[in-house]
Amino acid sequence: MSHSVRENIKQLRQEIGNVELVVVSKYRTIDELNQAYQSNQRSFAENRVQELIKKKELMPDDVQWHMIGHLQTNKVKLIAPFIHIIQSVDRIKLLKEINKEAKKNKRVIPILLQIHIAREDNKFGFTIDEVIQIIESNQISEFENVKIIGLMGMATNTPEKEIVKSEFNKLHSFFNEWKGQMKWKTLSMGMSGDYPHAIKCGSTLVRIGSKIFQ
Ligand SMILES: *Cc1c(COP(=O)(O)O)cnc(C)c1O
């Protein structure tokens, strides 16, 4: 049975309620993106800079682009003029570079700190302890052109739901503990395979690709 992009988005929106939907458009054609756009979808995410820029040029101007992949510092300047949120900030050096390029563009760029919660080593991100150290050292105050609006995390890719849930719960409790003081508002967790768990564990934003474009 084949579902249309429009139907998939409609069903997903009903299912997730108030949780924000960011459509992950990596590997998809402009035609597929346009089907999502025609369902009033305006937030799209890519994990590679070149692909993101190519698609930005072909899509309408009111699309809000999210970066969700590992980002090389030398490519920050290419997205700094327009990127809506960089969700995958996984090291201080990158934060510094984003701050520098945001300043050049007279912008304050919203970002999420990516936290490593999965068991797999191939995923990027800060540990929770590293983030606490950064917060307590007050290092963040020097980054005037970056606004940390929350956290992002990816759970282990496993059918064992207890593992996935415990990872999401861990990230959510850290988020809750600091959100008041840090003025965090976004907790980005959940993809096609695990978003129902992520939402139960307190996600405010899901990043979904394959379930929409299947
Ligand atoms: C690809 C990707 C997603 C979406 O994954 P799907 O399983 O296609 O929904 C979400 N987040 C990140 C960081 C990704 O790279």
Side-chain angles (χ1 to χ4, degrees):
M1 197 169 60
S2 129
H3 292 278
S4 70
V5 169
R6 182 193 296 256
E7 270 305 307
N8 292 342
I9 288 184
K10 195 177 149 198
Q11 277 179 18
L12 199 53
R13 285 206 186 112
Q14 278 169 1
E15 202 183 329
I16 70 176
N18 290 330
V19 173
E20 188 180 346
L21 172 64
V22 174
V23 167
V24 177
S25 52
K26 66 186 186 202
Y27 316 136
R28 306 298 165 181
T29 63
I30 292 297
D31 181 53
E32 288 174 298
L33 268 69
N34 269 318
Q35 290 176 42
Y37 185 88
Q38 279 152 20
S39 307
N40 273 329
Q41 183 64 33
R42 293 296 179 269
S43 300
F44 291 84
E46 287 285 330
N47 64 344
R48 302 188 61 167
V49 168
Q50 298 304 344
E51 188 70 15
L52 193 156
I53 289 169
K54 202 174 91 190
K55 284 176 175 160
K56 178 200 161 39
E57 281 164 6
L58 296 168
M59 290 296 291
D61 277 344
D62 62 347
V63 169
Q64 298 184 327
W65 293 98
H66 294 236
M67 178 65 192
I68 58 170
H70 186 63
L71 178 57
Q72 287 171 267
T73 45
N74 63 0
K75 294 198 173 144
V76 171
K77 59 176 178 296
L78 303 173
I79 57 172
F82 67 88
I83 198 77
H84 184 62
I85 303 178
I86 302 176
Q87 295 202 12
S88 45
V89 177
D90 55 9
R91 57 206 193 279
I92 289 289
K93 195 178 159 216
L94 180 58
L95 205 54
K96 282 187 182 148
E97 184 67 16
I98 295 169
N99 188 61
K100 190 182 97 191
E101 292 300 326
K103 196 169 197 162
K104 278 190 200 161
N105 285 279
K106 300 188 172 64
R107 291 190 67 199
V108 174
I109 298 183
I111 66 120
L112 303 179
L113 298 175
Q114 182 173 352
I115 312 294
H116 188 284
I117 51 171
R119 296 185 174 192
E120 297 128 322
D121 308 330
N122 62 347
K123 291 188 171 139
F124 295 99
F126 293 103
T127 63
I128 285 177
D129 285 344
E130 283 169 342
V131 174
I132 293 174
Q133 270 181 25
I134 294 166
I135 293 171
E136 289 182 339
S137 71
N138 208 24
Q139 243 179 313
I140 285 165
S141 58
E142 57 183 272
F143 303 127
E144 290 178 337
N145 292 73
V146 168
K147 187 170 160 65
I148 302 172
I149 61 164
L151 307 174
M152 186 270 258
M154 270 186 281
T156 304
N157 185 7
T158 168
E160 288 180 62
K161 297 305 165 208
E162 293 313 314
I163 294 179
V164 172
K165 282 194 242 172
S166 79
E167 291 167 353
F168 283 149
N169 276 326
K170 182 177 159 190
L171 186 55
H172 178 249
S173 9
F174 177 53
F175 178 78
N176 253 2
E177 204 177 314
W178 290 90
K179 71 176 181 192
Q181 180 184 336
M182 300 305 295
K183 301 192 173 68
W184 287 341
K185 55 177 191 175
T186 302
L187 178 57
S188 171
M189 46 182 210
M191 5 207 289
S192 294
D194 57 20
Y195 71 91
H197 296 303
I199 291 173
K200 281 191 201 119
C201 297
S203 169
T204 71
L205 181 157
V206 290
R207 312 172 308 271
I208 299 190
S210 41
K211 193 179 162 74
I212 290 169
F213 297 109
Q214 61 197 343

